[in-house]
């Protein structure tokens, strides 16, 4: 961003338009006001609902314990203009204009916060009883399915599949989870870490079938590649998500191989005056030496503060967080911090067949990632140690009775 643009960013005449009314978009609008931006802020959302948080959809909202999960934000008092139920069709950066269903919208600074959209299972378009779980409307469609205690087949044993299976079992449904890989969370965790989690399904009364590929879905049944026919009053597909960026085609905004907006370390895109944040964007991490695409709530919460600071331009900010996420499944609280891809050593803390254990990943003697199951103190201390880049004593680290903060190597 030029010095002139940065200075203009603090003036009252500037207009920031944020596309996407999920966590990343809402927090961008809030952060702009908190950091003193005096110009116009417009938040555009494709859904007609008041902006809402997504994690409760697979828990309280799905089980009927809450009607919605709207953010507790007073947009009117913040001076944020909401345009809901408005789909954005494209952007023309040279003209500083968005094309929307409701006509063109001018901007001085544009923030892309469109999140991710679930991957659909090929061949299921139009088949009755097939569901995704990403939006409030999805959760509301699934709530009566759980209430009627249907036999449910979940396709995919990732984070969302496990969370939905947990809710369905709590509702009294018969649940079968089919996973093409040989273990749950195959795309997220290495085999030696994820393998013990398979037992969680049986303990909860769910039937987990690994190495199980779906051949086709018919009304009332899922047919596997080996010919097995699974009765299904409903089918829930949880096989991943991809950045919701198809609408940027032809804009000149550079995208990565997964459709992610390629942001720099200040969350600026390849086009001037356009930023990207949250699930739709990847960013270079100096901490981990690679570009990260993080589809988790904390990333959508933290990134907006960096975007707001860089729009104001007074104190340029670099975005390089320690990624963090959590999941509640089968009576266990699972937390993860960091990025383990570049690690060269794995250290266990506790018995992975038990209720509480952790796994630490080291690169050299530095802690780079940690998975904690039922050990929130490990997570809290480990996250700080990762941020600080502390050297660890691997032998001390392996003792689950020893606090992580006391397992650092002697200077």
């Amino acid at each position: 961003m030029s010095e002139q643009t940065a200075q203009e960013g603090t003036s009252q005449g500037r207009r920031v338009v944020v596309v996407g009314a999920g966590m990343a978009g809402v927090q961008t609008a809030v952060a702009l006001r908190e950091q003193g931006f005096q110009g116009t802020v417009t938040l555009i959302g494709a859904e007609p609902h008041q902006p809402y948080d997504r994690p409760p959809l697979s828990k309280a909202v799905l089980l009927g314990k809450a009607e919605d999960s709207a953010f507790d934000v007073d947009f009117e008092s913040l001076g944020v203009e909401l345009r809901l139920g408005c789909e954005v069709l494209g952007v023309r950066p040279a003209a500083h204009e968005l094309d929307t269903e409701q006509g063109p919208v001018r901007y001085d600074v544009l923030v892309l916060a469109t999140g991710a959209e679930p991957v659909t299972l090929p061949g299921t378009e139009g088949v009755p009883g097939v569901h995704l779980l990403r939006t409030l409307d999805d959760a509301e469609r699934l709530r009566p399915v759980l209430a009627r205690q249907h036999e449910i087949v979940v396709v995919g044993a990732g984070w969302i599949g496990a969370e939905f299976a947990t809710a369905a079992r709590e509702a009294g449904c018969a649940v079968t989870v089919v996973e093409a890989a040989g273990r749950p969370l195959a795309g997220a965790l290495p085999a030696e870490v994820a393998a013990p989690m398979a037992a969680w399904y049986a303990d909860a009364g769910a039937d987990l079938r690994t190495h199980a590929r779906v051949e086709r879905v018919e009304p009332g049944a899922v047919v596997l590649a080996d010919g097995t026919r699974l009765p299904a009053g409903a089918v829930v597909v949880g096989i991943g998500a991809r950045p919701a960026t198809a609408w940027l085609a032809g804009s000149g905004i550079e995208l990565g191989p997964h459709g992610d907006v390629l942001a720099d370390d200040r969350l600026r895109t390849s086009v001037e005056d356009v930023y990207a944040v949250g699930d739709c964007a990847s960013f270079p991490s100096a901490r981990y030496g690679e570009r990260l695409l993080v589809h988790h709530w904390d990333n959508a919460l933290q990134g907006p503060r960096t975007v707001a600071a860089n729009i104001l331009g007074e104190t340029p900010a670099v975005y390089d967080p320690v990624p963090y996420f959590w999941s509640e499944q089968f009576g266990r609280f699972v937390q993860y911090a960091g990025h383990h891809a570049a690690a060269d050593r794995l250290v266990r803390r506790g018995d992975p067949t038990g209720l509480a254990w952790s796994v630490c990943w080291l690169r050299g003697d530095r802690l780079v990632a940690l998975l904690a199951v039922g050990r929130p103190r490990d997570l809290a201390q480990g996250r700080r140690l990762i941020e600080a880049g502390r050297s660890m004593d691997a032998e001390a680290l392996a003792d689950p009775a020893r606090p992580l903060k006391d397992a650092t190597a002697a200077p």
Side-chain angles (χ1 to χ4, degrees), residues 147-225:
R148 291 193 294 267
Q149 297 186 335
H150 278 297
E151 288 182 300
I152 295 176
V153 173
V154 180
V155 182
W159 299 112
I160 193 66
E163 290 184 2
F164 178 81
T166 299
R169 285 299 301 137
E170 185 176 334
C173 300
V175 178
T176 301
V177 181
V178 295
E179 169 58 53
R183 62 186 186 278
L185 297 170
L189 297 172
E192 65 268 34
V193 175
M197 298 177 174
W200 298 358
Y201 289 77
D203 291 346
D207 179 10
L208 172 64
R209 303 194 181 199
T210 56
H211 300 292
R213 293 190 175 276
V214 175
E215 178 69 26
R216 65 184 182 277
V217 177
E218 302 172 350
V222 172
V223 181
L224 303 182

Side-chain angles (χ1 to χ4, degrees), residues 3-351:
E3 184 178 352
Q4 180 184 1
T5 304
Q7 291 170 348
E8 289 174 353
T10 63
S11 69
Q12 295 189 8
R14 300 282 285 171
R15 175 172 187 158
V16 176
V17 175
V18 183
V19 182
M23 172 62 81
V26 167
Q27 290 301 319
T28 297
V30 170
L32 282 166
R33 292 302 190 219
E34 287 180 344
Q35 295 182 30
F37 182 73
Q38 297 297 312
T40 301
V41 179
T42 300
L43 183 63
I44 300 177
E47 294 181 58
H49 311 291
Q50 278 292 114
Y52 61 88
D53 204 5
R54 293 191 188 278
L57 297 184
S58 61
K59 306 172 184 71
V61 175
L62 188 61
L63 289 170
K65 298 176 181 179
E67 286 303 311
D68 59 38
S69 54
F71 290 114
D72 185 18
V73 175
D74 188 339
F75 294 101
E76 185 176 355
S77 68
L78 284 175
V80 174
E81 177 194 7
L82 286 182
R83 296 195 181 186
L84 303 177
C86 178
E87 185 174 354
V88 177
L89 307 173
V91 57
R92 290 173 284 116
H96 276 58
E97 277 193 344
L98 287 170
D99 292 317
T100 80
E101 289 179 320
Q102 299 172 10
V105 176
R106 280 196 56 78
Y107 66 85
D108 294 303
V109 178
L110 176 64
V111 181
L112 309 177
T114 47
E117 56 194 6
V119 175
T120 58
L121 187 65
T124 59
E125 295 80 2
V127 178
V130 177
H131 300 263
L132 300 168
L133 180 52
R134 182 72 183 181
T135 68
L136 179 59
D137 289 341
D138 292 337
E140 289 178 344
R141 281 190 288 266
L142 276 165
R143 192 153 55 184
V145 173
L146 266 59
R148 291 193 294 267
Q149 297 186 335
H150 278 297
E151 288 182 300
I152 295 176
V153 173
V154 180
V155 182
W159 299 112
I160 193 66
E163 290 184 2
F164 178 81
T166 299
R169 285 299 301 137
E170 185 176 334
C173 300
V175 178
T176 301
V177 181
V178 295
E179 169 58 53
R183 62 186 186 278
L185 297 170
L189 297 172
E192 65 268 34
V193 175
M197 298 177 174
W200 298 358
Y201 289 77
D203 291 346
D207 179 10
L208 172 64
R209 303 194 181 199
T210 56
H211 300 292
R213 293 190 175 276
V214 175
E215 178 69 26
R216 65 184 182 277
V217 177
E218 302 172 350
V222 172
V223 181
L224 303 182
D226 66 1
T228 302
R229 188 181 185 87
L230 302 173
V235 178
V236 176
V237 178
I239 55 175
R242 57 181 167 230
T245 57
W247 66 280
L248 295 172
S251 68
I253 295 171
E254 189 176 356
L255 303 181
H258 303 290
D260 47 310
V261 179
L262 296 178
D264 68 7
D265 62 357
R266 296 185 185 179
L267 299 180
R268 300 172 297 192
T269 73
S270 60
V271 169
E272 189 176 6
D273 296 325
V274 181
Y275 293 78
V277 65
D279 290 4
C280 71
S282 62
F283 56 90
S285 170
R287 186 191 308 276
Y288 292 107
E290 62 182 282
R291 178 169 286 274
L292 300 182
L293 176 59
V294 180
H295 281 183
H296 293 295
W297 185 90
D298 192 66
N299 179 50
L301 176 67
Q302 304 294 341
R305 298 167 191 164
T306 299
V307 169
N310 289 322
I311 289 174
L312 269 73
E314 296 169 1
T315 308
V318 168
Y319 190 60
D320 194 6
V322 173
Y324 166 74
F325 69 89
W326 81 96
S327 176
E328 296 177 74
Q329 49 185 271
F330 306 117
R332 292 166 173 85
F333 187 42
V334 184
Q335 295 172 284
Y336 178 97
H339 180 65
H340 67 266
D344 50 37
R345 185 173 183 182
L346 184 151
V347 178
R348 293 189 182 277
R349 287 171 58 81
D351 180 1

